[in-house]
């Protein structure tokens, strides 16, 4: 219908990323104000504010069950949060200052290899694998809803799909004439 259900207000700076939980009951927003917020979609109310990063939150994502959310920040950290309490559960990765992070669940990529994607274990913080294949910078990454595939978008005009278990590229999606900036 195009009807606006709610307008969520509460951040003190721009919202740069957002994500729905798998149940579509919560919306998470990440902001330049260094916080993430959880919003009840039906009521249109703020449920929790996730405080702990010292710089802008540039990416966030729920896990496949919706009980945890991961945030990536320009402070070079990735944090895992409990959705029920709004408390930080684990400071997952403290990256060196010359790296960027993306909060796509269990993922980070490094500016030392901008054409690669680094896969991390969200529980231990250990790097699991490096996904390669793009010829230019990787601009976005996401898991599918089941956590079985990983999609990447690149400035080289292609997208790739990897098997999350084997870490092998299973599809090369080519045909755009310019960069692909987002995948979902």
């Amino acid at each position: 219908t195009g009807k606006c259900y709610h307008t969520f207000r509460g951040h003190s700076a721009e919202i740069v990323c957002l994500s729905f939980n798998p149940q579509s009951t919560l919306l998470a927003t990440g902001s330049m104000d260094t916080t993430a917020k959880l919003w009840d979609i039906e009521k249109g109310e703020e449920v929790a504010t996730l405080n702990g990063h010292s710089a802008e939150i540039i990416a966030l994502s729920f896990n496949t069950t919706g009980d945890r959310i991961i945030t990536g920040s320009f402070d070079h950290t990735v944090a895992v949060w409990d959705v029920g309490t709004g408390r930080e559960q684990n400071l997952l990765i403290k990256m060196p200052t010359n790296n960027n992070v993306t909060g796509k669940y269990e993922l980070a990529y490094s500016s030392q290899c901008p054409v690669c994607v680094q896969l991390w274990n969200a529980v231990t913080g250990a790097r699991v694998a490096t996904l390669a294949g793009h010829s230019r910078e990787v601009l976005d990454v996401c898991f599918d809803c089941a956590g079985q595939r990983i999609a990447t978008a690149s400035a080289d005009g292609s997208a790739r799909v990897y098997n999350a278990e084997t870490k092998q590229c299973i599809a090369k999606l080519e045909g755009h004439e310019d960069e692909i900036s987002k995948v979902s």
Side-chain angles (χ1 to χ4, degrees):
T1 65
K3 177 186 172 193
C4 176
Y5 286 102
H6 301 288
T7 301
F8 301 105
R9 299 185 195 282
H11 285 289
S12 61
E14 296 88 354
I15 295 170
V16 295
C17 53
L18 54 87
S19 181
F20 286 99
N21 70 342
Q23 298 81 14
S24 294
T25 57
L26 294 175
L27 177 69
T29 54
S31 173
M32 299 291 280
D33 68 7
T34 76
T35 69
K37 291 184 180 286
L38 301 178
W39 308 89
D40 182 297
I41 293 172
E42 288 297 316
K43 296 177 183 175
E45 298 173 353
E46 182 181 326
V47 175
T49 297
L50 311 180
N51 286 303
H53 287 292
S54 61
E56 300 89 336
I57 294 176
I58 56 170
L60 51 77
S61 184
F62 285 92
N63 65 349
T64 55
T65 57
D67 63 338
R68 300 280 185 269
I69 190 166
I70 192 167
T71 55
S73 170
F74 274 145
D75 68 5
H76 309 288
T77 63
V78 175
V80 179
W81 307 82
D82 181 278
V83 170
T85 65
R87 292 197 175 119
E88 185 177 303
Q89 296 295 296
N90 189 9
L91 184 61
L92 185 62
I93 301 165
K94 177 68 173 162
M95 303 290 278
T97 57
N98 60 347
N99 286 342
N100 297 318
V101 294
T102 178
K104 302 302 179 187
Y105 202 73
E106 298 181 350
L107 284 176
Y109 65 91
S110 166
S111 61
Q112 292 174 331
C113 179
V115 299
C116 300
V117 173
Q118 301 295 327
L119 181 64
W120 302 82
N121 180 306
V123 175
T124 66
R127 185 168 50 196
V128 175
T130 299
L131 308 179
H134 288 290
S135 62
R136 293 188 56 206
E137 182 180 15
V138 175
L139 301 174
D140 196 28
V141 182
C142 73
F143 275 90
D144 70 354
C145 293
Q148 297 176 351
R149 293 182 186 91
I150 304 164
T152 61
S154 173
D156 68 11
S158 74
R160 294 182 185 266
V161 180
Y162 297 84
N163 179 303
E165 185 176 333
T166 67
K167 317 307 184 271
Q168 298 299 310
C169 181
I170 57 176
K172 297 175 186 175
L173 310 174
E174 299 170 329
H176 286 280
E177 294 180 15
D178 206 348
E179 73 181 30
I180 300 173
S181 57
K182 292 287 180 187
V183 288
S184 179

